[in-house]
Amino acid sequence: MGSVRLDKVEKIYDGFKPNADRHGWYEFWKPSRIPNKVHVVKGVSLDIKDGEFLVLVGPSGCGKSTTLRMVAGLEEATKGDIFIDDVRVNDVSPKDRDIAMVFQSYALYPHFTVYENMAFGLRLRNYEPEKIEQLVNHAAELLDIKHLLLRKPKELSGGQRQRVAMGRAIVRRPKVFLMDEPLSNLDAKLRVQMRAELQKLHQTLGVTTIYVTHDQTEAMTLGDRIVLMHQGIIQQAAPPLEVYEHPSNKYVAGFIGTPSMNFVDVKLGSADSGVAIKGEGFDILVPERLAGRLKEFVGLECIMGIRPEDIYDPKYAREAEFTVPIMAKVEVYEPMGSEVSLHIALGTSEMVARVDAHTDAKVGDLASLAIDTRKIHLFNKETEVTLL
């Protein structure tokens, strides 16, 4: 297998934009252009361990796919160094980096059978026919597509085509798998199934994998570690549970979790027994274990974050000692089967609460709910960095 290291990697595209200061018929058809550099990836440094499943996640345009393509050698890094197994590969061609890629588009040869698609790369590398057959059959068994080997891509479903694309990568026995949103073209049910298959596959093969997605559910369920990117910068790199429970800033907190975290403008004030969070329509006494860390911020205007699942109906409850009661007006009631999403108004703030399906709250009610104070997050209003 192989480790991957990125050291202050950057990607800057040199482009041009029209000069808006020029006018006239000729300039309309042939506008003058001025340089326009686009800084897509900004100083990314990562150490990816041998056998690790690392997920790059973030919105479209955040630089995650560009980072992956630089590791693959399909894009040249403007600055910084890329190492695979401690060997600098900036000047090594993609075919010599011992990596295999799986793309969002299946990129299968339509006139080849499944077997021929999976065997094609091995034939180019002059493998013996017996070895090719052994590797293809082994990969087909792992992916449960052995019965499809004689079919052509047009005879396969989307999920089967994606398995073939993965099989073509597996037969290479590379040091590193690079996957660029491979499940995006599949329907919701099949995506769930394929996520489980990918986890089993990684446990079986143990190959270092870098996986790109914009879907935070995929990131949370698949990754040993999540790297969340925004505007070309790594916001946080940590195991999924740590990113969920201890986000480094407001952006991370809002991106991870469905529905997303509620945010309310508040002010930290003094209380008889510690520190209180004062918002419009509510006061929350900070738990004792956090009060000492927040005393220096008393008087500071900040942002409180609380996840919808941590606002609940106290009738179907948790430990009372960790809760603060609130009264909130229910504006929208969304039954989800096992739970209900309530859109509530707390003072001038709008929030979402995920409560037990048997709640008595209805639209228009002033409902009695509770906040789990252990799960409160606080962010600096100016820098949006966590105070905790």
Side-chain angles (χ1 to χ4, degrees):
M1 302 306 107
S3 60
V4 179
R5 180 160 58 90
L6 282 69
D7 184 19
K8 299 176 183 175
V9 172
E10 300 193 11
K11 181 63 181 179
I12 302 171
Y13 289 105
D14 291 323
F16 294 91
K17 62 181 179 182
N19 188 345
D21 294 331
R22 296 188 64 183
H23 304 282
W25 183 89
Y26 178 78
E27 287 79 6
F28 175 79
W29 290 105
K30 289 195 174 183
S32 65
R33 300 191 299 171
I34 56 177
N36 180 38
K37 291 184 181 292
V38 183
H39 207 160
V40 179
V41 177
K42 305 170 184 176
V44 166
S45 293
L46 275 174
D47 278 312
I48 304 164
K49 298 174 185 175
D50 189 357
E52 183 176 15
F53 197 120
L54 182 106
V55 179
L56 295 175
V57 64
S60 297
C62 71
K64 56 189 186 296
S65 289
T66 303
T67 301
L68 191 80
R69 289 172 64 83
M70 286 191 287
V71 175
L74 303 177
E75 297 278 0
E76 184 180 350
T78 308
K79 296 179 183 177
D81 299 304
I82 300 170
F83 299 86
I84 297 178
D85 268 351
D86 295 324
V87 176
R88 187 178 181 275
V89 295
N90 289 49
D91 303 317
V92 177
S93 67
K95 68 182 179 64
D96 296 323
R97 293 193 183 193
D98 201 6
I99 54 96
M101 285 198 74
V102 181
F103 300 94
Q104 179 179 351
S105 60
Y106 314 123
L108 302 177
Y109 295 108
H111 55 291
F112 282 179
T113 64
V114 168
Y115 182 95
E116 290 165 339
N117 266 285
M118 292 171 66
F120 185 71
L122 301 178
R123 285 184 177 142
L124 288 179
R125 289 168 177 77
N126 298 316
Y127 277 63
E128 295 292 330
E130 296 80 11
K131 185 65 174 175
I132 292 175
E133 184 173 358
Q134 177 191 340
L135 292 172
V136 170
N137 283 327
H138 179 253
E141 284 179 9
L142 283 176
L143 295 163
D144 195 23
I145 55 172
K146 199 165 183 181
H147 61 292
L148 304 175
L149 288 177
L150 298 181
R151 294 191 192 179
K152 291 189 176 179
K154 67 180 180 181
E155 302 172 85
L156 306 178
S157 68
Q160 289 169 336
R161 291 179 194 179
Q162 194 56 276
R163 287 171 188 261
V164 175
M166 290 178 186
R168 183 176 53 193
I170 289 169
V171 296
R172 288 273 318 279
R173 301 284 177 90
K175 288 182 178 177
V176 183
F177 283 140
L178 304 177
M179 300 189 180
D180 193 359
E181 302 195 30
L183 308 185
S184 294
N185 290 339
L186 307 181
D187 62 64
K189 185 176 180 180
L190 193 53
R191 277 204 302 273
V192 173
Q193 180 186 337
M194 287 300 296
R195 283 206 304 265
E197 294 296 329
L198 273 172
Q199 286 178 312
K200 291 179 189 174
L201 197 61
H202 183 253
Q203 289 165 9
T204 302
L205 300 175
V207 178
T208 307
T209 303
I210 306 175
Y211 186 101
V212 162
T213 182
H214 62 270
D215 186 333
Q216 50 106 355
T217 303
E218 275 183 29
M220 292 290 289
T221 54
L222 286 173
D224 296 325
R225 193 158 48 114
I226 293 175
V227 176
L228 201 157
M229 296 183 68
H230 179 53
Q231 296 181 346
I233 299 170
I234 292 177
Q235 302 295 311
Q236 188 168 0
L241 191 60
E242 184 177 333
V243 174
Y244 179 81
E245 292 186 339
H246 305 289
S248 61
N249 57 45
K250 183 188 171 190
Y251 182 83
V252 175
F255 189 89
I256 298 294
T258 305
S260 60
M261 185 181 285
N262 299 298
F263 296 109
V264 185
D265 288 340
V266 296
K267 186 174 184 178
L268 293 181
S270 297
D272 293 339
S273 54
V275 178
I277 300 170
K278 299 180 180 292
E280 189 166 339
F282 65 93
D283 278 3
I284 297 173
L285 187 64
V286 173
E288 190 177 330
R289 65 186 180 84
L290 300 178
R293 294 156 64 183
L294 292 172
K295 279 183 180 177
E296 62 179 296
F297 300 112
V298 167
L300 180 71
E301 291 188 354
C302 57
I303 299 168
M304 182 186 82
I306 186 76
R307 295 197 182 279
E309 52 267 36
D310 297 320
I311 307 174
Y312 56 93
D313 189 331
K315 293 177 184 176
Y316 306 94
R318 314 176 191 187
E319 301 93 331
E321 63 178 299
F322 297 114
T323 64
V324 169
I326 58 171
M327 298 298 292
K329 185 179 179 182
V330 178
E331 297 186 332
V332 178
Y333 179 98
E334 293 181 331
M336 311 292 287
S338 61
E339 62 190 16
V340 171
S341 286
L342 298 179
H343 294 247
I344 58 176
L346 183 62
T348 58
S349 302
E350 293 183 356
M351 305 174 79
V352 178
R354 288 169 63 180
V355 303
D356 191 277
H358 300 95
T359 184
D360 297 327
K362 295 291 182 287
V363 173
D365 288 354
L366 193 63
S368 176
L369 301 175
I371 288 178
D372 189 334
T373 57
R374 295 170 299 179
K375 304 297 179 66
I376 286 173
H377 301 265
L378 290 167
F379 305 97
N380 185 302
K381 197 169 185 177
E382 291 185 5
T383 64
E384 297 192 346
V385 173
T386 182
L387 300 180
L388 299 173

PDB file of all heavy atoms in Angstrom, residues 68-92:
ATOM      1  N   LEU A  68      -7.453  16.398  -5.683  1.00  0.00           N
ATOM      2  CA  LEU A  68      -7.370  14.993  -6.087  1.00  0.00           C
ATOM      3  C   LEU A  68      -6.645  14.851  -7.422  1.00  0.00           C
ATOM      4  O   LEU A  68      -5.804  13.965  -7.595  1.00  0.00           O
ATOM      5  CB  LEU A  68      -8.775  14.408  -6.190  1.00  0.00           C
ATOM      6  CG  LEU A  68      -8.853  12.883  -6.354  1.00  0.00           C
ATOM      7  CD1 LEU A  68      -8.683  12.209  -5.004  1.00  0.00           C
ATOM      8  CD2 LEU A  68     -10.190  12.472  -6.965  1.00  0.00           C
ATOM      9  N   ARG A  69      -6.956  15.732  -8.358  1.00  0.00           N
ATOM     10  CA  ARG A  69      -6.341  15.656  -9.686  1.00  0.00           C
ATOM     11  C   ARG A  69      -4.846  15.965  -9.625  1.00  0.00           C
ATOM     12  O   ARG A  69      -4.067  15.437 -10.414  1.00  0.00           O
ATOM     13  CB  ARG A  69      -7.051  16.616 -10.644  1.00  0.00           C
ATOM     14  CG  ARG A  69      -8.463  16.145 -11.012  1.00  0.00           C
ATOM     15  CD  ARG A  69      -9.221  17.206 -11.803  1.00  0.00           C
ATOM     16  NE  ARG A  69      -8.585  17.475 -13.085  1.00  0.00           N
ATOM     17  CZ  ARG A  69      -8.766  16.748 -14.187  1.00  0.00           C
ATOM     18  NH1 ARG A  69      -9.566  15.705 -14.155  1.00  0.00           N
ATOM     19  NH2 ARG A  69      -8.156  17.063 -15.303  1.00  0.00           N
ATOM     20  N   MET A  70      -4.434  16.799  -8.672  1.00  0.00           N
ATOM     21  CA  MET A  70      -2.997  17.051  -8.509  1.00  0.00           C
ATOM     22  C   MET A  70      -2.288  15.819  -7.960  1.00  0.00           C
ATOM     23  O   MET A  70      -1.160  15.519  -8.350  1.00  0.00           O
ATOM     24  CB  MET A  70      -2.775  18.268  -7.615  1.00  0.00           C
ATOM     25  CG  MET A  70      -3.093  19.583  -8.303  1.00  0.00           C
ATOM     26  SD  MET A  70      -2.542  21.049  -7.375  1.00  0.00           S
ATOM     27  CE  MET A  70      -3.733  21.091  -6.046  1.00  0.00           C
ATOM     28  N   VAL A  71      -2.933  15.097  -7.050  1.00  0.00           N
ATOM     29  CA  VAL A  71      -2.352  13.846  -6.547  1.00  0.00           C
ATOM     30  C   VAL A  71      -2.225  12.840  -7.698  1.00  0.00           C
ATOM     31  O   VAL A  71      -1.232  12.124  -7.808  1.00  0.00           O
ATOM     32  CB  VAL A  71      -3.202  13.253  -5.407  1.00  0.00           C
ATOM     33  CG1 VAL A  71      -2.663  11.886  -4.978  1.00  0.00           C
ATOM     34  CG2 VAL A  71      -3.216  14.203  -4.209  1.00  0.00           C
ATOM     35  N   ALA A  72      -3.238  12.825  -8.579  1.00  0.00           N
ATOM     36  CA  ALA A  72      -3.227  11.889  -9.715  1.00  0.00           C
ATOM     37  C   ALA A  72      -2.228  12.286 -10.787  1.00  0.00           C
ATOM     38  O   ALA A  72      -1.811  11.444 -11.596  1.00  0.00           O
ATOM     39  CB  ALA A  72      -4.622  11.811 -10.314  1.00  0.00           C
ATOM     40  N   GLY A  73      -1.844  13.553 -10.816  1.00  0.00           N
ATOM     41  CA  GLY A  73      -0.942  14.018 -11.869  1.00  0.00           C
ATOM     42  C   GLY A  73      -1.671  14.579 -13.065  1.00  0.00           C
ATOM     43  O   GLY A  73      -1.057  14.928 -14.071  1.00  0.00           O
ATOM     44  N   LEU A  74      -3.011  14.688 -12.987  1.00  0.00           N
ATOM     45  CA  LEU A  74      -3.791  15.246 -14.081  1.00  0.00           C
ATOM     46  C   LEU A  74      -3.756  16.770 -14.077  1.00  0.00           C
ATOM     47  O   LEU A  74      -4.111  17.404 -15.074  1.00  0.00           O
ATOM     48  CB  LEU A  74      -5.245  14.761 -13.996  1.00  0.00           C
ATOM     49  CG  LEU A  74      -5.434  13.239 -13.988  1.00  0.00           C
ATOM     50  CD1 LEU A  74      -6.899  12.877 -13.831  1.00  0.00           C
ATOM     51  CD2 LEU A  74      -4.857  12.618 -15.250  1.00  0.00           C
ATOM     52  N   GLU A  75      -3.389  17.348 -12.944  1.00  0.00           N
ATOM     53  CA  GLU A  75      -3.154  18.792 -12.827  1.00  0.00           C
ATOM     54  C   GLU A  75      -1.779  18.996 -12.211  1.00  0.00           C
ATOM     55  O   GLU A  75      -1.373  18.232 -11.329  1.00  0.00           O
ATOM     56  CB  GLU A  75      -4.207  19.451 -11.927  1.00  0.00           C
ATOM     57  CG  GLU A  75      -5.633  19.379 -12.422  1.00  0.00           C
ATOM     58  CD  GLU A  75      -5.956  20.449 -13.445  1.00  0.00           C
ATOM     59  OE1 GLU A  75      -5.046  21.255 -13.763  1.00  0.00           O
ATOM     60  OE2 GLU A  75      -7.096  20.471 -13.921  1.00  0.00           O
ATOM     61  N   GLU A  76      -1.083  20.017 -12.670  1.00  0.00           N
ATOM     62  CA  GLU A  76       0.240  20.325 -12.118  1.00  0.00           C
ATOM     63  C   GLU A  76       0.097  21.287 -10.943  1.00  0.00           C
ATOM     64  O   GLU A  76      -0.610  22.286 -11.029  1.00  0.00           O
ATOM     65  CB  GLU A  76       1.114  20.952 -13.202  1.00  0.00           C
ATOM     66  CG  GLU A  76       2.537  21.225 -12.755  1.00  0.00           C
ATOM     67  CD  GLU A  76       3.377  21.838 -13.859  1.00  0.00           C
ATOM     68  OE1 GLU A  76       2.911  21.879 -15.013  1.00  0.00           O
ATOM     69  OE2 GLU A  76       4.496  22.299 -13.553  1.00  0.00           O
ATOM     70  N   ALA A  77       0.747  20.959  -9.842  1.00  0.00           N
ATOM     71  CA  ALA A  77       0.703  21.843  -8.671  1.00  0.00           C
ATOM     72  C   ALA A  77       1.504  23.112  -8.963  1.00  0.00           C
ATOM     73  O   ALA A  77       2.644  23.040  -9.427  1.00  0.00           O
ATOM     74  CB  ALA A  77       1.271  21.131  -7.456  1.00  0.00           C
ATOM     75  N   THR A  78       0.893  24.275  -8.699  1.00  0.00           N
ATOM     76  CA  THR A  78       1.592  25.548  -8.908  1.00  0.00           C
ATOM     77  C   THR A  78       2.712  25.720  -7.891  1.00  0.00           C
ATOM     78  O   THR A  78       3.802  26.191  -8.218  1.00  0.00           O
ATOM     79  CB  THR A  78       0.596  26.722  -8.788  1.00  0.00           C
ATOM     80  OG1 THR A  78      -0.527  26.477  -9.642  1.00  0.00           O
ATOM     81  CG2 THR A  78       1.259  28.026  -9.179  1.00  0.00           C
ATOM     82  N   LYS A  79       2.418  25.336  -6.638  1.00  0.00           N
ATOM     83  CA  LYS A  79       3.412  25.399  -5.562  1.00  0.00           C
ATOM     84  C   LYS A  79       3.256  24.167  -4.687  1.00  0.00           C
ATOM     85  O   LYS A  79       2.219  23.516  -4.684  1.00  0.00           O
ATOM     86  CB  LYS A  79       3.218  26.656  -4.700  1.00  0.00           C
ATOM     87  CG  LYS A  79       3.428  27.971  -5.414  1.00  0.00           C
ATOM     88  CD  LYS A  79       3.185  29.141  -4.449  1.00  0.00           C
ATOM     89  CE  LYS A  79       3.319  30.485  -5.151  1.00  0.00           C
ATOM     90  NZ  LYS A  79       3.012  31.613  -4.242  1.00  0.00           N
ATOM     91  N   GLY A  80       4.296  23.886  -3.913  1.00  0.00           N
ATOM     92  CA  GLY A  80       4.220  22.791  -2.957  1.00  0.00           C
ATOM     93  C   GLY A  80       4.682  21.462  -3.539  1.00  0.00           C
ATOM     94  O   GLY A  80       5.022  21.356  -4.724  1.00  0.00           O
ATOM     95  N   ASP A  81       4.683  20.446  -2.687  1.00  0.00           N
ATOM     96  CA  ASP A  81       5.188  19.128  -3.067  1.00  0.00           C
ATOM     97  C   ASP A  81       4.170  18.043  -2.746  1.00  0.00           C
ATOM     98  O   ASP A  81       3.443  18.133  -1.749  1.00  0.00           O
ATOM     99  CB  ASP A  81       6.492  18.816  -2.322  1.00  0.00           C
ATOM    100  CG  ASP A  81       7.594  19.815  -2.652  1.00  0.00           C
ATOM    101  OD1 ASP A  81       7.905  19.968  -3.844  1.00  0.00           O
ATOM    102  OD2 ASP A  81       8.115  20.456  -1.717  1.00  0.00           O
ATOM    103  N   ILE A  82       4.158  17.007  -3.588  1.00  0.00           N
ATOM    104  CA  ILE A  82       3.279  15.851  -3.391  1.00  0.00           C
ATOM    105  C   ILE A  82       4.159  14.607  -3.322  1.00  0.00           C
ATOM    106  O   ILE A  82       5.012  14.388  -4.194  1.00  0.00           O
ATOM    107  CB  ILE A  82       2.266  15.722  -4.538  1.00  0.00           C
ATOM    108  CG1 ILE A  82       1.404  16.981  -4.624  1.00  0.00           C
ATOM    109  CG2 ILE A  82       1.379  14.482  -4.353  1.00  0.00           C
ATOM    110  CD1 ILE A  82       0.541  17.059  -5.874  1.00  0.00           C
ATOM    111  N   PHE A  83       3.953  13.814  -2.270  1.00  0.00           N
ATOM    112  CA  PHE A  83       4.752  12.603  -2.064  1.00  0.00           C
ATOM    113  C   PHE A  83       3.832  11.383  -1.998  1.00  0.00           C
ATOM    114  O   PHE A  83       2.790  11.419  -1.352  1.00  0.00           O
ATOM    115  CB  PHE A  83       5.545  12.687  -0.754  1.00  0.00           C
ATOM    116  CG  PHE A  83       6.519  13.828  -0.684  1.00  0.00           C
ATOM    117  CD1 PHE A  83       6.122  15.087  -0.258  1.00  0.00           C
ATOM    118  CD2 PHE A  83       7.849  13.636  -1.055  1.00  0.00           C
ATOM    119  CE1 PHE A  83       7.015  16.141  -0.190  1.00  0.00           C
ATOM    120  CE2 PHE A  83       8.754  14.699  -0.979  1.00  0.00           C
ATOM    121  CZ  PHE A  83       8.342  15.947  -0.556  1.00  0.00           C
ATOM    122  N   ILE A  84       4.222  10.314  -2.667  1.00  0.00           N
ATOM    123  CA  ILE A  84       3.575   9.010  -2.522  1.00  0.00           C
ATOM    124  C   ILE A  84       4.654   8.045  -2.050  1.00  0.00           C
ATOM    125  O   ILE A  84       5.679   7.867  -2.719  1.00  0.00           O
ATOM    126  CB  ILE A  84       2.951   8.530  -3.839  1.00  0.00           C
ATOM    127  CG1 ILE A  84       1.834   9.493  -4.286  1.00  0.00           C
ATOM    128  CG2 ILE A  84       2.378   7.117  -3.684  1.00  0.00           C
ATOM    129  CD1 ILE A  84       1.176   9.131  -5.609  1.00  0.00           C
ATOM    130  N   ASP A  85       4.433   7.468  -0.866  1.00  0.00           N
ATOM    131  CA  ASP A  85       5.456   6.617  -0.241  1.00  0.00           C
ATOM    132  C   ASP A  85       6.794   7.340  -0.117  1.00  0.00           C
ATOM    133  O   ASP A  85       7.854   6.784  -0.448  1.00  0.00           O
ATOM    134  CB  ASP A  85       5.630   5.312  -1.021  1.00  0.00           C
ATOM    135  CG  ASP A  85       4.746   4.202  -0.477  1.00  0.00           C
ATOM    136  OD1 ASP A  85       4.143   4.395   0.589  1.00  0.00           O
ATOM    137  OD2 ASP A  85       4.661   3.149  -1.119  1.00  0.00           O
ATOM    138  N   ASP A  86       6.737   8.601   0.301  1.00  0.00           N
ATOM    139  CA  ASP A  86       7.924   9.435   0.541  1.00  0.00           C
ATOM    140  C   ASP A  86       8.736   9.724  -0.720  1.00  0.00           C
ATOM    141  O   ASP A  86       9.876  10.182  -0.633  1.00  0.00           O
ATOM    142  CB  ASP A  86       8.832   8.792   1.606  1.00  0.00           C
ATOM    143  CG  ASP A  86       8.160   8.738   2.968  1.00  0.00           C
ATOM    144  OD1 ASP A  86       7.424   9.688   3.298  1.00  0.00           O
ATOM    145  OD2 ASP A  86       8.362   7.738   3.685  1.00  0.00           O
ATOM    146  N   VAL A  87       8.158   9.462  -1.878  1.00  0.00           N
ATOM    147  CA  VAL A  87       8.810   9.798  -3.141  1.00  0.00           C
ATOM    148  C   VAL A  87       8.084  10.995  -3.753  1.00  0.00           C
ATOM    149  O   VAL A  87       6.861  10.958  -3.955  1.00  0.00           O
ATOM    150  CB  VAL A  87       8.776   8.612  -4.132  1.00  0.00           C
ATOM    151  CG1 VAL A  87       9.380   9.025  -5.479  1.00  0.00           C
ATOM    152  CG2 VAL A  87       9.514   7.413  -3.556  1.00  0.00           C
ATOM    153  N   ARG A  88       8.817  12.076  -4.023  1.00  0.00           N
ATOM    154  CA  ARG A  88       8.210  13.266  -4.614  1.00  0.00           C
ATOM    155  C   ARG A  88       7.775  12.960  -6.049  1.00  0.00           C
ATOM    156  O   ARG A  88       8.572  12.509  -6.861  1.00  0.00           O
ATOM    157  CB  ARG A  88       9.208  14.431  -4.606  1.00  0.00           C
ATOM    158  CG  ARG A  88       8.615  15.770  -5.042  1.00  0.00           C
ATOM    159  CD  ARG A  88       9.664  16.868  -4.942  1.00  0.00           C
ATOM    160  NE  ARG A  88       9.139  18.176  -5.317  1.00  0.00           N
ATOM    161  CZ  ARG A  88       9.081  18.633  -6.568  1.00  0.00           C
ATOM    162  NH1 ARG A  88       9.534  17.881  -7.581  1.00  0.00           N
ATOM    163  NH2 ARG A  88       8.586  19.831  -6.817  1.00  0.00           N
ATOM    164  N   VAL A  89       6.464  13.211  -6.324  1.00  0.00           N
ATOM    165  CA  VAL A  89       5.922  12.788  -7.629  1.00  0.00           C
ATOM    166  C   VAL A  89       5.461  13.976  -8.476  1.00  0.00           C
ATOM    167  O   VAL A  89       4.795  13.768  -9.494  1.00  0.00           O
ATOM    168  CB  VAL A  89       4.751  11.801  -7.429  1.00  0.00           C
ATOM    169  CG1 VAL A  89       5.222  10.510  -6.789  1.00  0.00           C
ATOM    170  CG2 VAL A  89       3.620  12.446  -6.611  1.00  0.00           C
ATOM    171  N   ASN A  90       5.834  15.197  -8.093  1.00  0.00           N
ATOM    172  CA  ASN A  90       5.397  16.366  -8.869  1.00  0.00           C
ATOM    173  C   ASN A  90       5.721  16.244 -10.351  1.00  0.00           C
ATOM    174  O   ASN A  90       4.944  16.680 -11.204  1.00  0.00           O
ATOM    175  CB  ASN A  90       6.057  17.639  -8.321  1.00  0.00           C
ATOM    176  CG  ASN A  90       5.509  18.039  -6.966  1.00  0.00           C
ATOM    177  OD1 ASN A  90       5.409  17.217  -6.063  1.00  0.00           O
ATOM    178  ND2 ASN A  90       5.147  19.306  -6.824  1.00  0.00           N
ATOM    179  N   ASP A  91       6.880  15.650 -10.658  1.00  0.00           N
ATOM    180  CA  ASP A  91       7.315  15.556 -12.053  1.00  0.00           C
ATOM    181  C   ASP A  91       7.139  14.152 -12.630  1.00  0.00           C
ATOM    182  O   ASP A  91       7.658  13.849 -13.707  1.00  0.00           O
ATOM    183  CB  ASP A  91       8.787  15.972 -12.161  1.00  0.00           C
ATOM    184  CG  ASP A  91       9.021  17.381 -11.629  1.00  0.00           C
ATOM    185  OD1 ASP A  91       8.198  18.266 -11.929  1.00  0.00           O
ATOM    186  OD2 ASP A  91      10.009  17.589 -10.897  1.00  0.00           O
ATOM    187  N   VAL A  92       6.413  13.300 -11.908  1.00  0.00           N
ATOM    188  CA  VAL A  92       6.174  11.929 -12.369  1.00  0.00           C
ATOM    189  C   VAL A  92       4.855  11.888 -13.130  1.00  0.00           C
ATOM    190  O   VAL A  92       3.852  12.455 -12.688  1.00  0.00           O
ATOM    191  CB  VAL A  92       6.134  10.948 -11.173  1.00  0.00           C
ATOM    192  CG1 VAL A  92       5.806   9.539 -11.643  1.00  0.00           C
ATOM    193  CG2 VAL A  92       7.455  10.982 -10.416  1.00  0.00           C
TER     194      VAL A  92
END
